[in-house]
Amino acid sequence: MTNKIALVTGANKGIGYEVARQLGEQGITVLVAARNQSTADETAAQLRRIGMDAVGVELDVTNAEHIAALSQRIHNTYGRLDILVNNAGIWAENGEYEGDAFRDTFEVNTFGPYHLTQALLPLLLKSEAGRIVNQSSALGSIQFLLSNELAQRIATPAYSASKAALNMLTAYWAQQAQGTKLKVNSVHPGLVKTRMGGEKAELSAEDGARTAVRLATLPEDGPTGGFYYMDSQLPW
């Protein structure tokens, strides 16, 4: 994996940080994205202290100027991008959010990944083994929601719909990339002990990152256009 370049959004904490760390452990240069430069720089410095090749980059996925500037920076510095992990996301339907929870959830969870991926596709297609991983959720699986009692208790409309839409983008990009070396997949991290998942969640952030890392480093004969949790394929 030496000399590969990865961009991880929302990488300053939780699952995103663990995805960046685990990719860095494999010798991959990780562009650590956070909503402001100082946070990104602090996170990158933390990863460098434990031996990773990490660079902090400013990226609010809802900010078109950030997306354009970062795309140009990657083009000028590296000439390509090997891995994109669309990890940044929100769950705003917690009773405390003061904005338009439905609209803002889609802005971050669906529109942001769409615009970022579209901007970076030319760079990903220049890679000899381009990989896009969309951090989704089992709550975005229509079949799972219709059949699972736990999902029916905890699902909220904006979050579930935004992740279902992200899954559709995964399928769309995978089809568009047919005949190229680019692979595009969605992942479910599991119920993880993060601010979003809560302290009663069953998995650590380290375990929650493993599916995304596996899909980000797929070999040439690996799958594309799928939805995965660990080694299992999930229903759309």
Side-chain angles (χ1 to χ4, degrees), residues 18-126:
E18 273 298 318
V19 170
R21 186 186 67 80
Q22 291 177 33
L23 290 175
E25 282 186 332
Q26 299 188 41
I28 297 169
T29 297
V30 184
L31 307 182
V32 179
R35 283 181 293 178
N36 60 74
Q37 189 65 54
S38 61
T39 301
D41 288 340
E42 290 171 8
T43 306
Q46 184 176 347
L47 288 170
R48 289 195 297 271
R49 284 194 292 270
I50 56 175
M52 313 303 170
D53 184 9
V55 179
V57 296
E58 182 179 42
L59 178 64
D60 176 343
V61 297
T62 68
N63 187 315
E65 292 181 359
H66 283 193
I67 291 173
L70 180 56
S71 177
Q72 190 63 50
R73 178 176 174 179
I74 295 172
H75 171 77
N76 292 343
T77 306
Y78 305 105
R80 74 181 195 286
L81 183 65
D82 300 295
I83 297 166
L84 170 61
V85 181
N86 283 310
N87 171 77
I90 62 170
W91 191 333
E93 297 155 293
N94 57 12
E96 300 176 0
Y97 192 76
E98 296 181 355
D100 185 334
F102 202 95
R103 186 178 301 277
D104 292 348
T105 297
F106 266 82
E107 287 285 353
V108 177
N109 293 0
T110 309
F111 301 160
Y114 169 76
H115 290 297
L116 178 63
T117 302
Q118 287 293 115
L120 295 175
L121 268 176
L123 293 167
L124 286 156
L125 289 168
K126 290 182 178 180

Side-chain angles (χ1 to χ4, degrees), residues 196-220:
M196 187 181 296
E199 286 300 317
K200 295 182 179 180
E202 58 188 3
L203 297 177
S204 66
E206 181 179 358
D207 289 332
R210 294 192 190 284
T211 308
V213 172
R214 181 177 75 81
L215 273 293
T217 55
L218 283 172
E220 185 176 353

Side-chain angles (χ1 to χ4, degrees), residues 28 38 144 146 159:
I28 297 169
S38 61
F144 185 72
L146 290 174
Y159 185 80

Side-chain angles (χ1 to χ4, degrees), residues 157-172:
Y159 185 80
S160 294
S162 71
K163 293 301 187 179
L166 183 62
N167 285 344
M168 178 57 78
L169 289 175
T170 296
Y172 170 79

